[in-house]
Amino acid sequence: MQQIVEKLSQFLNLLVGPKRLRHILSCSEFARKLAKIHKIDEQKVLLACLSHDMFRDTPAPKLLRMAEAYNIEPSELELKHPVLLHGKIAAEYLKRRFKIEDVEVLEAVAYHTSGRAGVSSVAKIVFLADALEENRVYEEVEELRKLAEHDLDEALIRTLRSKVCYAMKKEYLLLPETIEMWNWLLRNKRKRFLTENDHNGFRGG
């Protein structure tokens, strides 16, 4: 996997502009920090982070051609906004170019923007790192960074809430996967709350 990471690092200089490259490298650094804290496979996290935006600067017509070549069926929303395909295309590129079959890595790359219900810890970290890396500047970001070091799931809920609120203010459409992830996170939070209180001898009415 180390050889793949080295090759990807070289490719990025050709595929993305300087601003995007800074984001990718900062994302990778923050993700590795989270992976170390939470004892998640750092190599998987690094590979996913380096790959997640490799086609983010690719023009829309080329993204659609690549999706067709990779047998990716775009949704109606992705047809209108082909940039939304960049994660899925990057995941498929990893499979074909580097023979990556690791489900956690591919999922993390494909759904780093939208999120998805049931994602692995690798995908959680990549999603958070994409939103919270050091070049991101918005009101809650520093608080969310600290929270991510202590509680991945709570950080996901609050980061996703921030993204959804921003999209609603701008009257952007919400991706179905994003809504599904939100519902999944809240259901899990409520289950944890009930379990913890049950263990503490609490019984709800």
Side-chain angles (χ1 to χ4, degrees):
M1 193 172 284
Q2 182 59 37
Q3 290 182 337
I4 296 173
V5 166
E6 291 173 3
K7 288 183 179 179
L8 276 173
S9 298
Q10 296 171 1
F11 287 170
L12 286 173
N13 290 306
L14 303 174
L15 292 170
V16 301
K19 183 178 179 180
R20 188 73 55 196
L21 183 59
R22 283 196 299 274
H23 161 69
I24 291 171
L25 296 179
S26 182
C27 178
S28 300
E29 183 178 348
F30 186 62
R32 291 184 74 178
K33 178 181 178 180
L34 291 181
K36 189 171 185 178
I37 291 170
H38 295 287
K39 296 180 172 54
I40 308 301
D41 192 311
E42 290 185 49
Q43 282 291 95
K44 288 186 181 183
V45 166
L46 178 59
L47 178 56
C49 277
L50 287 174
S51 309
H52 82 284
D53 266 358
M54 68 165 68
F55 296 115
R56 180 62 178 77
D57 291 345
T58 302
K62 186 173 182 180
L63 286 173
L64 290 172
R65 291 197 298 272
M66 291 178 75
E68 183 177 5
Y70 287 166
N71 296 315
I72 298 171
E73 187 67 36
S75 67
E76 182 179 349
L77 192 55
E78 288 167 339
L79 284 173
K80 290 182 179 179
H81 305 282
V83 68
L84 295 172
L85 289 163
H86 74 276
K88 293 179 182 178
I89 288 171
E92 191 63 31
Y93 179 84
L94 282 180
K95 285 174 64 176
R96 293 171 182 242
R97 174 65 177 79
F98 296 110
K99 311 302 181 188
I100 298 295
E101 298 292 342
D102 189 286
V103 174
E104 291 183 337
V105 171
L106 298 176
E107 174 190 61
V109 174
Y111 297 99
H112 72 271
T113 299
S114 64
R116 188 187 194 188
V119 291
S120 70
S121 295
V122 172
K124 289 177 182 180
I125 286 178
V126 174
F127 183 90
L128 286 171
D130 185 41
L132 306 179
E133 56 93 355
E134 293 298 325
N135 293 309
R136 300 291 197 194
V137 180
Y138 52 92
E139 186 176 348
E140 294 180 285
V141 68
E142 188 57 40
E143 183 181 350
L144 291 172
R145 286 179 188 133
K146 291 177 182 176
L147 180 59
E149 295 179 13
H150 299 285
D151 189 331
L152 283 182
D153 286 342
E154 189 62 28
L156 275 169
I157 289 172
R158 291 183 55 181
T159 300
L160 189 57
R161 182 175 66 192
S162 177
K163 292 180 73 169
V164 168
C165 287
Y166 177 81
M168 292 175 71
K169 286 179 183 177
K170 295 289 186 178
E171 295 190 350
Y172 294 155
L173 294 174
L174 294 174
L175 292 164
E177 296 92 342
T178 302
I179 298 170
E180 290 167 5
M181 185 182 192
W182 174 256
N183 291 339
W184 172 68
L185 287 168
L186 286 190
R187 282 195 296 266
N188 284 349
K189 180 177 181 177
R190 288 165 185 165
K191 286 178 184 176
R192 288 196 304 272
F193 174 80
L194 291 173
T195 300
E196 288 168 4
N197 281 283
D198 187 52
H199 287 162
N200 291 330
F202 172 80
R203 292 293 185 276

